[in-house]
Amino acid sequence: VQDDLNGIYERGDIVNKTIFAGILLCIVSFVLSGCNGNTYGITSGTYEMVDSEENVFTPYLTLDLEDKTFTFTFDVLSSYGNLGSIKFNKGNLICKTDDNKNTFIFKIEGNNTLKFDATQSSSTTTVDDNIAVPDETEFKLVNDTSES
């Protein structure tokens, strides 16, 4: 009887250790996955404005998700550099310039597609033609620089 009880306790210890290891693995995985944050299906690289064939210059957004930085170029005649930091909030990519003068918001559509939210963003009107990036304009990934 004592041998039977010892066998039951040993199996119980193995089950408890297995459950503990599984829970620990889940916790570690959850913590580590939170380190990079949710990027909602976009990657580092250059995103170009879609359907801009009438323009001589195509506006583009460059993202570095590791450094959490961006560069947004929509006016080649402007000497101002729209560069700064990014953050994600409720399915939106928020790009804020380092000097806090401009904020550009893009709705993340997934599959490396962004939609510019002109109503919530700083002005993108160009110096010469008074042309602006239209609201809801799509930007698609053309150059993936993420490390795979």
Side-chain angles (χ1 to χ4, degrees), residues 88-102:
F88 297 93
N89 186 16
K90 298 180 182 173
N92 291 317
L93 171 68
I94 301 169
C95 305
K96 189 167 196 142
T97 57
D98 286 336
D99 61 7
N100 292 318
K101 288 185 178 181
N102 293 309

Side-chain angles (χ1 to χ4, degrees), residues 1-14:
V1 174
Q2 185 64 33
D3 289 337
D4 290 338
L5 288 177
N6 286 340
I8 291 171
Y9 289 130
E10 287 175 13
R11 282 189 295 260
D13 286 343
I14 291 171

Side-chain angles (χ1 to χ4, degrees), residues 4-148:
D4 290 338
L5 288 177
N6 286 340
I8 291 171
Y9 289 130
E10 287 175 13
R11 282 189 295 260
D13 286 343
I14 291 171
V15 170
N16 288 340
K17 288 177 184 177
T18 303
I19 291 172
F20 176 75
I23 292 171
L24 185 61
L25 181 63
C26 288
I27 291 171
V28 169
S29 297
F30 179 74
V31 169
L32 291 178
S33 68
C35 290
N36 291 331
N38 188 351
T39 60
Y40 299 95
I42 63 170
T43 58
S44 293
T46 301
Y47 293 74
E48 283 188 357
M49 187 171 107
V50 176
D51 296 331
S52 65
E53 62 270 348
E54 69 228 27
N55 298 332
V56 175
F57 173 76
T58 301
Y60 64 91
L61 174 71
T62 303
L63 300 175
D64 185 330
L65 300 183
E66 187 174 317
D67 292 341
K68 295 184 178 166
T69 57
F70 81 96
T71 303
F72 186 31
T73 306
F74 53 85
D75 186 357
V76 292
L77 297 179
S78 175
S79 62
Y80 180 78
N82 288 298
L83 50 105
S85 60
I86 62 172
K87 69 179 182 177
F88 297 93
N89 186 16
K90 298 180 182 173
N92 291 317
L93 171 68
I94 301 169
C95 305
K96 189 167 196 142
T97 57
D98 286 336
D99 61 7
N100 292 318
K101 288 185 178 181
N102 293 309
T103 301
F104 304 102
I105 298 175
F106 294 85
K107 182 180 178 191
I108 301 168
E109 298 290 308
N111 297 322
N112 291 312
T113 302
L114 304 167
K115 271 193 180 175
F116 182 63
D117 185 347
T119 63
Q120 300 293 317
S121 296
S122 300
S123 174
T124 58
T125 304
T126 59
V127 174
D128 62 342
D129 293 326
N130 290 328
I131 299 171
V133 176
D135 190 37
E136 298 288 313
T137 298
E138 278 193 354
F139 283 73
K140 288 205 174 267
L141 182 69
V142 294
N143 181 22
D144 186 343
T145 59
S146 63
E147 294 180 17
S148 300

